């Protein structure tokens, strides 16, 4: 496993993240324009959605697929309650901020998912194509759980129909699901047509995207230094392990392949930093972005990237026997 | 050249609230405004900058020119949205050409 | 022909457009940053101009080329008069708005042209390389015809030297013509050097670009619902057929290849939504963008993309015998 | 700190007219202005937003700070361009540092 | 709706000076401002436009709303940065909601 | 050599620059969004840094590498003094503007470096991988020399710790050095992973980037027409030759390969238009950008691109015997 972690550490992807992190901490003015960052994220979402759809078109739709989607939905809805409990034990956050943080951990980080897929590929492990669809399904339920937690605590309802609609129609979710269906409908013919766009340069784009993530995480850490207590940081590295064990259990129950289990562990372990923060700004404006964003992007994201993913791979390989 | 008195209202607000503010203005029958992008800023909740934010946060600035007698309607509509949110509302006296448009 | 239409419908390119359309109609906040959209359109223009130039360098310059360019110029200038007449019959638009709309249909949509080229490629049909130059030539004359129509109606001249200059030096035209000449001068050596940039990822970029077009068309349709009467919409699907028949006649007279005829039909059938609207805002500010943009982008563009192109291909194949 | 009275004129206008307005100002010998990008807006001709517009429409905002006695020259020059166009002109009283520059 | 008098200060300055101006404001204990991107402009040093500049030059616009009694502190801080630089400072009277924030 | 210059002139890269130049001089509104231009420059810096690092990983670190880096540092520091002297002889610029201009010529233009590498590649000549690192090292010292010249003349110090820090942490330098180290650490394995992103489309991206450079240079020339006197323009074409001869001497002393010598000549001959202008706006605000930017971007950059590089290649080949 140490070899694996070392190989992972020396991949251009992780090193690009580290470069961004260091540059930001050293106060370099290196930055990636917002439009380019958004363009890359559209590219990544389109590409993984499409490839997932093609994989499902190849393998067909079966009971396991439906079960996995359902499991993803439930995991996303339940994990925030677990996170909320852990936060109450480990930190002194008030219920509102705890609810907001908890929502992030039920939802997922698509870049962590992609990084995990890359590691699987290097390790020569295949995974179920519909894990992409599972990722899409896990984006939203956690938000509702978080709002329920916050409403319950404050006694006033935090949900309204408009917000619900906005969450479901969030650009990332629509793009991921939409390109999944495009891949499903066009299959390998479609993939042949555009693979030199969505497959060949993928890893390289991911490097630049992670450079940007490193820059953002580094700036976040620099500006909020001290805002996070020790207990909160501890939560940021413990919670992914808790989430991953939920993912492991579900994956074993569903009878997923080793690769599929690793991906479900990664999804459960990862925390959102795009869809959920946007929803929280609207629904829980009093909660502090400095807390939930820094925790998700500055602590849990690098933890998963560097240590988490190789660990999940090692554990899953050990348990399933490869 | 003939000009007419009016008010210029500037509302700086978080990007995720843009849709809600648009909607609140529409409800209050205020249909003239311009939205400017914001690069960065500083306030009680710290300093931020837009580079590479992939929509994480970011603010926008509504500029709304309005007849004086409609000012209170506008401020009430805006305040309802801005209240709990991060954001700033600033009003200045102004003069406009073509008063019939406002 | 139904097979062809079905195959066309299931291409990732058309499905990407559909995804954008649906997302916009459902009020998703999915959007592509303006800078990225403009970057993609620069890429597409550069790539098709360059490839066209290389094709001409391969085949040499001959009388047919000159004839086709002249035909393009004339088609672009004449079609607005036909469109204007049809508008007067089918709709109640005043002369100013009718003139503005008419100008759009004489000019061309470069993305429709590209989509048509893709369909030809899938069908294994070659086309004359200089069709790209024809596309460039057809951009502008229609604008002058529209201004003439409007001046004639209102009795005041709508043209000035500055505007004429601006139209000729419009960025899209300059880029298309310029990269055509770069391709012509560097030929296959140049193409070898940069083909992994301008050829390989082309179809994939086109998908994302059409996703954006779908988003824009969908938003346009949503916001102007009701602004277009039934007669106007009818015009939006009839006019491309009229235009295409002009293109067909010219193509047969010129003795173009089947592929070339399809492209000339497509150019004649398509309506501008970049160069012409910009010129109209300056020269005919009283004309309503809600009418001409929605018609061009929300009605005629999808019509050509989904039904028009396969139809033009079927007709041309039938008449030329393949 | 010593400040001097001036006028701040804000002209919101369609992007395809930018070049013409620049030119009109130059003709009127007005050489100081700043152009801000506009993200979106709403007016009598409906609501629009800049995302993915590939230059279809879009507006820009000229901000021009000017000595009071030059205001009318500016308004006349601007009005000639804006007249038939979509667009808004708004004037506010202002004070500037370094009056010699205006 | 209750509003309170304040000053709106607009500082247009070259992008490479953004960091310095941020710093000067911080030093003067001025922590509320918004930064707008600038597309182009014209002044004594000619005309420029931002398209494709890859950061060659470019300007930004600070908008700072401030209590009247703090105006001089702000102007002094800003002036120290702007002095030798290309740039414009413009002050207008304004009214704000939620005066306690400024 | 004339053949070489002609081949160089007919490359898509040079022609793209010419297209931009012509479009801008003709006042076309063709333009590339700032975000896209910045995105391309990030791509180019990342790609050349990475490839340089991989080349060094392949060849190992030795005394010549260290010597070349040291030489680069010294060249960048010394050339401004030479440039300053030449400016005093040829032009009537005051000391402040002369110092600002001089700083640009000590520093480097990374795009000129890249264009030179492309020419070497076409000519089948290899170069030392660490020339990229040399380029990075040459960015900054010239700025300090320029500030020293200006301080010396005006008697007031122009340097402060904050500025020094900013220069060293300039985004371009950090990205170039950082990606160099990523390439060094991941070596050929890393390159294999992302080569279809950073190698394959490189030349094509370079074309679009040079199109933008042409647009900027053309606009600069148009707006400052007359601002540059004859002597100043003469300086703009003489100074690169002087710089190149310094590079030639150092390269021979260091025993570099022919390709390496050409690159060191190019670096010494080229003038900065990104890092140095930004620093000058902060440190020497009274100096006129119209002078130093137009000279660097409108005179020296095209001179090197079109005539300089083939000349340096011819001279180096002649002297080293190939
Ligand atoms: N005094 C001010 N003047 C201008 N903009 C302000 C001011 N205070 C706050 N802002 C803007 O509002 C945002 C949020 O402010 P705050 O709620 O105080 O954190 C800041 O990032 C600024 O963009
Ligand atoms: N009252 C207003 N305040 C601020 N901006 C306005 C106002 N009315 C119109 N605008 C701007 O001008 C554009 C065109 O307005 P209109 O000509 O009324 O459609 C709108 O999209 C807004 O950006
Ligand atoms: N009178 C003015 N009104 C608004 N902006 C101005 C004015 N004068 C200068 N500027 C802005 O400040 C920049 C530099 O001006 P200058 O220092 O005069 O070259 C210009 O490019 C404009 O963006
Ligand atoms: Na999770
Ligand atoms: Na047409
Ligand atoms: Na140099």
């Amino acid at each position: 496993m140490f070899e694996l972690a070392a190989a992972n550490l020396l991949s251009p992807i992780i090193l690009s993240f580290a470069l961004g992190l260091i540059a930001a901490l050293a106060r370099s003015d290196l930055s990636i324009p917002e439009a380019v960052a958004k363009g890359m994220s559209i590219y990544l979402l389109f590409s993984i959605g499409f490839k997932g759809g093609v994989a499902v078109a190849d393998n067909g739709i079966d009971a396991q697929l439906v079960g996995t989607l359902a499991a993803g939905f439930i995991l996303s809805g339940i994990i925030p309650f677990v996170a909320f409990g852990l936060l109450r034990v480990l930190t002194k956050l008030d219920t509102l901020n705890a609810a907001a943080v908890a929502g992030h951990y039920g939802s997922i980080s698509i870049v962590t998912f992609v990084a995990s897929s890359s590691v699987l590929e290097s390790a020569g492990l295949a995974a179920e194509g519909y894990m992409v669809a599972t990722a899409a399904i896990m984006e939203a339920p956690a938000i509702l759980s978080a709002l329920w937690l916050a409403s319950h605590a404050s006694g006033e309802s935090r949900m309204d129909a408009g917000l619900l609609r906005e969450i479901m129609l969030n650009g990332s979710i629509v793009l991921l699901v939409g390109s999944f269906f495009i891949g499903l409908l066009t299959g390998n013919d479609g993939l042949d047509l555009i693979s030199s766009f969505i497959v060949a340069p993928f890893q390289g784009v991911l490097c630049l995207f992670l450079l940007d993530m490193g820059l953002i995480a580094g700036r976040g850490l620099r500006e909020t230094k001290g805002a996070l207590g020790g207990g909160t940081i501890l939560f940021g590295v413990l919670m992914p392990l808790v989430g991953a064990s939920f993912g492991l259990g579900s994956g074993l129950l569903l009878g997923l392949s080793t690769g599929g289990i690793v991906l479900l562990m990664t999804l459960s372990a990862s925390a959102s930093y795009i869809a959920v923060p946007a929803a929280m700004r609207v629904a829980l404006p009093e909660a502090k972005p400095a807390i939930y964003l820094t925790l998700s992007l500055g602590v849990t994201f690098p933890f998963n990237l560097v240590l988490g993913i190789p660990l999940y791979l090692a554990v899953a390989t050990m348990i399933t026997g490869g | 050249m003939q000009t007419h008195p009016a008010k210029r209202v500037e509302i700086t607000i978080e990007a995720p609230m843009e849709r809600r503010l648009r909607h609140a203005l529409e409800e209050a029958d205020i249909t003239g405004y311009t939205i400017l992008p914001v690069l960065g800023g500083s306030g009680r909740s710290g300093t931020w900058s837009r580079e590479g934010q992939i929509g994480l946060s970011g603010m926008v600035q509504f500029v709304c020119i309005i007849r004086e007698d409609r000012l209170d309607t506008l401020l009430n509509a805006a305040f309802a949205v801005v209240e709990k949110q991060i954001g700033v509302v600033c009003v200045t006296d102004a003069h406009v050409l073509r008063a019939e448009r406002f």
Side-chain angles (χ1 to χ4, degrees), chain A, chain B:
Chain A
M1 195 212 130
F2 281 109
E3 265 168 60
L4 229 156
N8 182 38
L9 276 175
L10 280 184
S11 84
I13 294 169
I14 305 289
L15 290 173
S16 295
F17 181 81
L19 173 57
L21 201 67
I22 293 168
L25 290 175
R27 292 174 190 265
S28 164
D29 67 353
L30 178 60
S31 70
I32 292 187
E34 190 188 9
V36 174
K38 219 181 150 194
M40 289 194 295
S41 106
I42 288 168
Y43 169 84
L44 295 175
L45 288 170
F46 183 80
S47 172
I48 58 171
F50 193 95
K51 285 183 283 189
V54 173
V56 171
D58 260 11
N59 296 321
I61 298 178
D62 56 20
Q64 202 184 35
L65 183 158
V66 178
T68 308
L69 294 184
F73 188 88
I74 295 168
L75 281 169
S76 173
I78 282 181
I79 289 177
F81 289 90
V82 182
F84 189 80
L86 195 60
L87 279 165
R88 309 252 65 179
V89 174
L90 290 176
T91 74
K92 290 183 185 141
L93 292 185
D94 58 73
T95 42
L96 202 76
N97 277 300
V101 169
H104 287 70
Y105 284 82
S107 184
I108 60 121
S109 147
I110 200 73
V111 184
T112 312
F113 176 79
V114 167
S116 189
S117 310
S118 293
V119 170
L120 287 182
E121 226 170 85
S122 309
L125 280 175
E128 288 77 7
Y130 49 73
M131 292 313 293
V132 172
T134 314
I137 268 193
M138 291 179 74
E139 288 260 18
I143 301 177
L144 303 182
S145 299
L147 298 188
W148 190 89
L149 280 165
S151 308
H152 193 73
S154 67
E156 79 182 286
S157 173
R158 297 296 187 152
M159 269 174 273
D160 64 79
L163 181 64
L164 206 67
R165 201 190 155 78
E166 259 176 50
I167 293 170
M168 303 311 300
L169 290 172
N170 175 288
S172 314
I173 300 180
V174 168
L175 186 53
L176 199 55
V177 173
S179 54
F180 179 85
F181 278 107
I182 297 180
L184 190 63
L185 286 169
T186 62
N188 277 312
D189 289 354
L191 187 62
D192 285 349
L193 197 69
I194 62 173
S195 74
S196 49
F197 177 65
I198 67 171
V199 178
F202 190 83
Q203 302 285 342
V205 176
L206 194 56
C207 283
L208 286 190
F209 191 76
L210 279 169
L211 174 66
D212 188 43
M213 299 291 296
L215 287 166
I216 298 172
R219 286 204 183 111
L221 284 175
R222 217 182 62 213
E223 262 163 33
T224 55
K225 53 179 177 293
L228 299 186
T232 321
I233 292 173
L234 185 61
F235 170 84
V237 303
L238 271 188
M239 189 60 218
L241 300 178
V242 175
S245 61
F246 275 76
L248 175 63
S250 317
L252 290 171
L253 277 178
L254 290 159
L256 294 180
S257 68
T258 308
I261 292 177
V262 173
L263 290 183
L264 195 59
M265 289 174 81
T266 305
L267 288 173
S268 306
S270 71
S272 169
Y273 41 78
I274 300 188
V276 182
M280 292 302 144
R281 287 316 298 147
V282 173
L284 302 180
E286 309 92 328
K288 296 208 184 101
I291 295 174
Y292 53 69
L293 260 184
T294 313
L295 205 49
S296 158
L297 201 57
V299 179
T300 299
F301 178 68
F303 171 79
N304 274 326
L305 210 59
V306 173
L307 297 179
I309 295 172
L311 177 67
Y312 311 148
L313 175 53
V315 169
T317 314
M318 216 177 62
I319 292 186
T320 64
Chain B
M1 189 158 260
Q2 175 70 20
T3 60
H4 311 268
K7 294 286 183 182
R8 178 183 184 280
V9 183
E10 191 178 280
I11 306 168
T12 309
I13 194 175
E14 288 179 290
M17 299 304 292
E18 179 188 321
R19 198 188 281 223
R20 278 180 169 61
L21 184 51
R22 275 181 183 257
H23 197 244
L25 295 180
E26 212 175 281
E27 295 273 282
D29 225 27
I30 293 162
T31 55
Y33 54 83
T34 296
I35 308 176
L36 305 179
V38 173
L39 260 190
S42 166
R44 293 167 315 160
S45 33
T47 301
W48 64 276
S49 144
R50 195 150 205 166
E51 294 279 310
Q53 292 288 317
I54 33 169
L56 284 189
S57 53
M59 305 196 81
V60 293
Q61 192 172 79
F62 279 68
V63 174
C64 187
I65 297 158
I66 201 167
R67 283 203 326 267
E68 305 203 57
D69 57 319
R70 306 259 298 133
L71 178 63
D72 244 42
T73 316
L74 168 55
L75 291 184
N76 284 323
F79 192 68
V81 176
V82 178
E83 195 180 4
K84 285 188 191 165
Q85 238 64 34
I86 286 177
V88 171
V89 180
C90 164
V91 185
T92 43
D93 291 326
H95 282 83
V96 292
L97 298 182
R98 303 195 278 184
E100 70 284 2
R101 308 187 51 161
F102 295 91

